[in-house]
Amino acid sequence: MLCVSLIPHSLTELKSQLRKAARLSFLIELRADRLPITHPNRLPVLKNRPIIFTCRPRWAGGFFKGSETARIQLLQSAIDSNRFDYVDVEYGIFKRLKRPVSGKTRIILSDHNFKKTPNNLNQIYQKLSRLKPDVIKIVTMARDISDNLKIFKLHKYTNRGIPLIAFCMGEDGLISRVLYKKFGFWIMYAPLEFKDATGPGQIPYFDLKHLYRADRLNKQTKIYGLIGQPVAHSLSPLFFNHIFKQKKINAVYLPFRFKNLKSFKSFNDFLDVLGYSVTAPYKTSIMRYLNHLTPLARRIGAVNTIYPDKIGVYRKGPGPTNLIGTNTDAWGAWQALEQAFRSYQTGYDYRDKTALIIGAGGAARAIAFWLRLSGMRLIFVNRHYLKAKKNALDFKAEAIKFSSLPGYKEPVDLIINATPLGTWPRTNITPLPKKFFKPGMIVFDAIYNPPETRFLREAKEKGCLTVSGLGMFLYQADAQLKLFLP
C-alpha cells in the first residue's frame, strides 16, 4: 500500500494537500513538524482515510522547532485524541508515552539511522518487537546499493503478525522503496511532488505508482535494471516499465547505481536479476564479472546488455551462470546513422570517408566496430591518449592527442561524441569548440538526454547534419527487450 506523505507549512496548505492526497491514496501520513500548533485537535482529518500522525525533531530528520518536551506532549495528545489511526513515535521516547487504553489509535514504533545501514538490523528488530508495538518501522541511510540487501533480509520477520515497514533512505536506497511489496513490507511513503519530500531519496507518488507500479509488485515480480554511475539521467526505466505495463508483464526495471562492481555478484545472486542494461563507466569493466560473452561482445570489447541464458547454451561455471553479456550499442548506432545517412543522400558510400570518434569507452568501441566494417577510416581522440591508442590498435585506426585537436587540419566527414560530456544536468559542456565544425559534416552525439546537446546545436549552426543519440538508444533498447523477455 502506498502512503502519501504530507508536510504542510500551514493549516490552509494542509487542507489543500489532504484533498489531493485523498484522491490518490487510501492511507495518508501527516507530518506536523512545520505546523504552528500546540494540540492536534486543531488539525483537520478525513472520515474515510486512515491518517498516520508524525512529528519529527531536527535530530531525526524533521523540522519541529519546539522543545523535546513540547513534542512529546504533542504526540501524547495525538494518541489521546483518538482522531488518528496511527501515531509514529521513535524508540528513544516510546517509554515516555502512555499507550492508548482503548480507541482506534495504534502505535508505529520507528528506528531511524541517518548515517548508515548497520549490520545489526536483526538486533534492532528484536529490540523494537520486545516493546510490542502495533507496527515496526526500521529506516536506514544507504551509502551503497548493497545496503538495500540488508533491509531486504528483514523480510523473514514479515510473517510474525506485526506489520513491518523497512527501507533505505538516500539515492542509493531507491530500490528498497520500489520493491517494498515484493519483500512483504507493509507500506511505502511518497510525497505528492519531489519538492514536498519528507525524507532523503523519497520517490514522488506519481513515479512510484505509475512509473514503477510499486503497489502492484509481488513476490513473483521479475527484476531488470540499469547498471551505471550516474543513472538518474537515463530513460531506460521509462522505456522498459512502459513496455511491461503495456504488455501486462509482472516485471519492473530499476536504476542500479553501483559506485563500484565489487558487490555485483552478491547483489545479483540475492535479487536474481534477469537482465541488465549497462552504461558508463562499466561497459568494459563489467566483462570480468561475467563468464559468458557473445563473440560480438568479445570483438567489440564492451558489454551494454546482460541477458538470461534461457535455453542453457552455456555450462555452469564460476560467476552468474545464467547471464550472458553482449552488445546492442553497435546495432543501435548503425540503425540511427543509417537512417541519417539515407536522409542525407541516396546511397551514402562509407568508403574513403573519415570518422573522428571522441571517447575511448564502451560506446566508442561499439560505434567504431560498425564504422570499421563499413570501410570508414577511423581516428580516435581522448583526453587519455593511451586509451585512444589502444582502441586505434584494436580497430586498425589512428589516434591523436586531445591537445592537438584544435590544430587538426585533415578532412573529417563524420564526428562522433561517445563521451558523457553534455549529459543532463551538465548540459552546457561540449567536447569540441564550435569552430571545428564545417558545413557538410555529419555530427552524431551518443547522448540522448537532452535530445539536442550543445555539441549538436553548435554543429547545426555551422551547417552540419546532426544525429541525436535518442535513435541509438531506442534501437539498442528494443534489441535488449527481445533478449530480456521469454
Side-chain angles (χ1 to χ4, degrees), residues 393-409:
L393 290 172
D394 289 344
F395 291 97
K396 298 179 180 179
E398 302 173 36
I400 61 174
K401 294 182 178 179
F402 200 86
S403 58
S404 63
L405 193 56
Y408 190 74
K409 301 297 184 183

Side-chain angles (χ1 to χ4, degrees), residues 270-323:
F270 184 88
L271 286 183
D272 191 27
V273 180
L274 293 180
Y276 297 93
S277 307
V278 185
T279 188
Y282 299 128
K283 291 186 179 186
T284 55
S285 57
I286 192 69
M287 295 175 69
R288 72 173 72 105
Y289 294 90
L290 303 171
N291 60 346
H292 307 318
L293 297 172
T294 63
L296 177 64
R298 291 185 185 279
R299 177 66 187 88
I300 293 174
V303 162
N304 83 310
T305 306
I306 302 172
Y307 66 100
D309 182 7
K310 295 189 281 277
I311 58 175
V313 172
Y314 295 95
R315 292 179 297 177
K316 291 182 178 290
T321 56
N322 65 323
L323 297 176

Side-chain angles (χ1 to χ4, degrees), residues 115-402:
K115 294 183 178 180
K116 62 179 181 179
T117 300
N119 295 322
N120 65 336
L121 294 183
N122 290 332
Q123 295 176 18
I124 292 173
Y125 177 87
Q126 299 296 342
K127 175 186 71 174
L128 299 178
S129 65
R130 281 193 288 269
L131 296 176
K132 302 186 184 307
D134 299 292
V135 181
I136 292 175
K137 180 180 178 183
I138 299 175
V139 182
T140 65
M141 179 63 72
R143 296 299 180 189
D144 184 83
I145 195 169
S146 61
D147 286 336
N148 294 278
L149 306 187
K150 300 176 187 177
I151 283 289
F152 291 149
K153 289 175 182 178
L154 290 174
H155 79 279
K156 62 186 177 184
Y157 297 117
T158 57
N159 60 356
R160 299 197 175 186
I162 302 177
L164 174 61
I165 305 168
F167 58 89
C168 288
M169 296 178 286
E171 182 181 351
D172 291 320
L174 179 146
I175 67 170
S176 69
R177 294 182 184 270
V178 174
L179 297 177
Y180 79 97
K181 200 170 181 182
K182 181 176 175 67
F183 288 93
F185 300 131
W186 182 44
I187 64 171
M188 185 48 57
Y189 301 88
L192 290 171
E193 298 179 36
F194 184 78
K195 65 179 180 61
D196 302 317
T198 60
Q202 266 195 338
I203 306 170
Y205 178 86
F206 183 88
D207 289 351
L208 206 56
K209 174 80 174 178
H210 299 290
L211 172 59
Y212 295 113
R213 298 179 296 155
D215 60 329
R216 293 179 176 269
L217 307 185
N218 54 42
K219 292 181 180 179
Q220 288 72 45
T221 298
K222 297 175 181 178
I223 302 174
Y224 300 85
L226 170 69
I227 297 174
Q229 166 70 312
V231 290
H233 69 284
S234 176
L235 297 181
S236 293
L238 185 64
F239 175 86
F240 286 101
N241 286 317
H242 173 73
I243 298 295
F244 294 156
K245 181 178 180 179
Q246 188 181 54
K247 294 182 177 291
K248 297 182 179 179
I249 298 171
N250 185 12
V252 65
Y253 186 99
L254 298 165
F256 300 133
R257 188 178 78 146
F258 279 86
K259 294 178 180 176
N260 59 65
L261 294 175
K262 293 179 181 178
S263 61
F264 170 71
K265 186 180 184 302
S266 60
F267 181 89
N268 179 76
D269 289 347
F270 184 88
L271 286 183
D272 191 27
V273 180
L274 293 180
Y276 297 93
S277 307
V278 185
T279 188
Y282 299 128
K283 291 186 179 186
T284 55
S285 57
I286 192 69
M287 295 175 69
R288 72 173 72 105
Y289 294 90
L290 303 171
N291 60 346
H292 307 318
L293 297 172
T294 63
L296 177 64
R298 291 185 185 279
R299 177 66 187 88
I300 293 174
V303 162
N304 83 310
T305 306
I306 302 172
Y307 66 100
D309 182 7
K310 295 189 281 277
I311 58 175
V313 172
Y314 295 95
R315 292 179 297 177
K316 291 182 178 290
T321 56
N322 65 323
L323 297 176
I324 303 169
T326 191
N327 195 298
T328 63
D329 273 341
W331 164 260
W334 176 60
Q335 289 293 305
L337 284 169
E338 272 282 284
Q339 188 177 38
F341 290 158
R342 284 195 295 269
S343 67
Y344 183 63
Q345 68 179 61
T346 304
Y348 186 85
D349 189 358
Y350 302 97
R351 293 169 298 178
D352 300 322
K353 298 289 195 308
T354 299
L356 178 70
I357 302 176
I358 310 168
R365 293 182 64 88
I367 295 169
F369 173 79
W370 171 72
L371 293 178
R372 191 69 184 85
L373 287 180
S374 301
M376 268 193 156
R377 171 180 171 241
L378 304 183
I379 303 170
F380 286 95
V381 59
N382 191 60
R383 291 188 183 278
H384 300 285
Y385 177 68
L386 291 180
K387 291 183 178 180
K389 189 68 175 176
K390 181 183 183 307
N391 282 357
L393 290 172
D394 289 344
F395 291 97
K396 298 179 180 179
E398 302 173 36
I400 61 174
K401 294 182 178 179
F402 200 86

